[in-house]
Amino acid sequence: MRLLLILFIALLAGCTPSYLAKKSFQDNDFQRSIQLCKMWIVADSSNADAWILLARAFYRTGIVDSALIAYERAFAVPAVKKYPSEEYYELLIADADQRLPENAAYALDQYRKAVQLDGQRPLAFQKLGDYNFEKKDFIQARSFYSQALLAAENRRPLEQRIVQIDSIEAAALKEIQLGKKMLSEGNFQNARDHFLIAASINPQEKEAAYGNATAEGLRLYQRGSINALWDAIQAFGRASVLFPQRAEPHYRLGLAYHKKNKDEYQNAIDELERAIALEPDGEFGIMAQKELASLKARKQKMEQFWGK
């Protein structure tokens, strides 16, 4: 009621809602500015300046959702060609911050909008880096932190995070090397333990997943039962998916198929031939050639014996 009275008196004095809304905003009376902006919009709903001032007033009072809606209404006006980048950029980030962690997809979309709005500002890149760091996606985190560094005035926190990522990746690599050592010594369970530790440190490290699958496959292959060999085949199959260009998984698949059923040759032959095609001069390609020759000779001998 008091606001309406002030408005009525102001109108008698020749002051418009737009003037009063701007004056209230300048006087840091943002609640009054919000009410006056709404009156201004009632009179002229296609006025982008009214919507932008309303958005700014909402933002100053911490009402992020309403500020975003008001900005979007302003940007829908055809005459508005350019976003008020600094404030809208900050608003997008504030909106994203308050949505995490419950609505991560929405928050990430808001951070990306901020990047598209102004790729020269570091904060959105840093926020994306922080999100990926918490999710242990260190490849993405490093990329975003590096982009943030290009424009950051305070470089130290970003540089510290990159050093932290270096340390994490080094710790995972150390466990992988220990796993490979155990693998070469035939200690498959200990090898697997090291690969699992590496994966827990850095889930994006494919070598850890590959080593774990290989160690598990070899452990099951060594056990030798039909069920264990089927599980070994699945483990070696996972390894082949992780690194499709490596011969080792196909070589080991060939051995596992043949050990599972010495009278069934085709699956084993197919896998050994794949290993040879991938790395004809490599360690596993050469071993596959020897195994394939032996397997084909046995197959031919059995066919001759049975008169096939």
Side-chain angles (χ1 to χ4, degrees):
M1 180 63 73
R2 184 169 178 270
L3 180 61
L4 290 173
L5 179 60
I6 293 171
L7 178 61
F8 178 72
I9 295 170
L11 289 172
L12 289 177
C15 298
T16 62
S18 60
Y19 170 83
L20 294 171
K22 293 173 185 177
K23 180 73 167 56
S24 297
F25 187 89
Q26 290 170 355
D27 293 340
N28 295 326
D29 190 346
F30 302 120
Q31 291 291 351
R32 179 175 292 180
S33 182
I34 288 169
Q35 297 302 319
L36 289 164
C37 282
K38 289 179 179 179
M39 294 178 183
W40 183 6
I41 288 166
V42 168
D44 185 3
S45 62
S46 64
N47 191 306
D49 290 339
W51 286 108
I52 289 174
L53 186 61
L54 178 62
R56 297 182 68 197
F58 273 130
Y59 182 44
R60 294 298 193 282
T61 58
I63 308 175
V64 174
D65 292 347
S66 296
L68 277 172
I69 291 170
Y71 267 125
E72 294 299 334
R73 291 295 299 270
F75 304 149
V77 176
V80 178
K81 301 295 184 184
K82 187 177 180 181
Y83 287 6
S85 59
E86 182 174 356
E87 195 162 274
Y88 187 56
Y89 179 94
E90 293 172 359
L91 184 58
L92 287 168
I93 290 174
D95 184 42
D97 287 347
Q98 71 179 13
R99 301 302 182 105
L100 287 173
E102 289 80 8
N103 196 343
Y106 176 87
L108 292 174
D109 189 51
Q110 294 297 80
Y111 289 141
R112 293 188 193 104
K113 282 183 181 178
V115 167
Q116 291 172 357
L117 180 66
D118 191 344
Q120 300 304 310
R121 295 176 184 271
L123 186 56
F125 287 117
Q126 183 174 345
K127 294 285 186 177
L128 286 165
D130 290 343
Y131 175 83
N132 283 282
F133 184 89
E134 293 301 320
K135 293 295 181 181
K136 293 190 174 184
D137 187 342
F138 300 116
I139 295 173
Q140 285 291 335
R142 181 194 295 277
S143 174
F144 285 123
Y145 287 139
S146 297
Q147 288 174 288
L149 271 173
L150 296 175
E153 293 182 5
N154 183 10
R155 298 171 58 87
R156 186 170 177 78
L158 296 166
E159 290 170 344
Q160 287 176 334
R161 266 299 167 89
I162 291 174
V163 169
Q164 194 174 356
I165 291 171
D166 290 340
S167 177
I168 289 167
E169 290 176 342
L173 184 59
K174 181 179 178 180
E175 292 295 333
I176 289 169
Q177 296 303 326
L178 288 170
K180 288 181 177 180
K181 182 175 183 294
M182 294 292 103
L183 207 59
S184 68
E185 295 172 358
N187 193 336
F188 304 134
Q189 186 55 55
N190 281 352
R192 189 163 181 253
D193 290 342
H194 284 293
F195 290 128
L196 287 171
I197 292 170
S200 70
I201 295 170
N202 185 2
Q204 302 300 314
E205 180 54 77
K206 287 172 65 177
E207 285 288 355
Y210 178 87
N212 178 41
T214 301
E216 177 67 0
L218 288 169
R219 185 181 68 82
L220 292 162
Y221 178 86
Q222 190 178 60
R223 186 181 296 175
S225 69
I226 296 298
N227 287 338
L229 288 167
W230 272 121
D231 290 340
I233 287 167
Q234 291 181 3
F236 294 139
R238 291 196 300 274
S240 73
V241 170
L242 287 164
F243 289 102
Q245 299 307 311
R246 289 188 182 179
E248 180 185 10
H250 298 287
Y251 168 74
R252 299 201 184 283
L253 278 165
L255 297 185
Y257 274 120
H258 183 55
K259 187 174 183 178
K260 180 181 68 67
N261 185 352
K262 294 189 181 297
D263 295 324
E264 196 283 314
Y265 298 94
Q266 196 55 53
N267 285 330
I269 288 172
D270 288 346
E271 292 298 339
L272 292 169
E273 287 179 341
R274 287 190 186 100
I276 295 165
L278 287 168
E279 297 179 26
D281 300 320
E283 175 188 0
F284 290 100
I286 292 170
M287 289 193 295
Q289 290 173 37
K290 294 177 181 178
E291 190 67 31
L292 182 62
S294 174
L295 199 60
K296 284 185 173 180
R298 173 180 165 80
K299 181 174 182 285
Q300 184 179 22
K301 183 177 179 180
M302 294 303 295
E303 287 174 348
Q304 289 172 349
F305 177 81
W306 292 106
K308 292 183 179 179

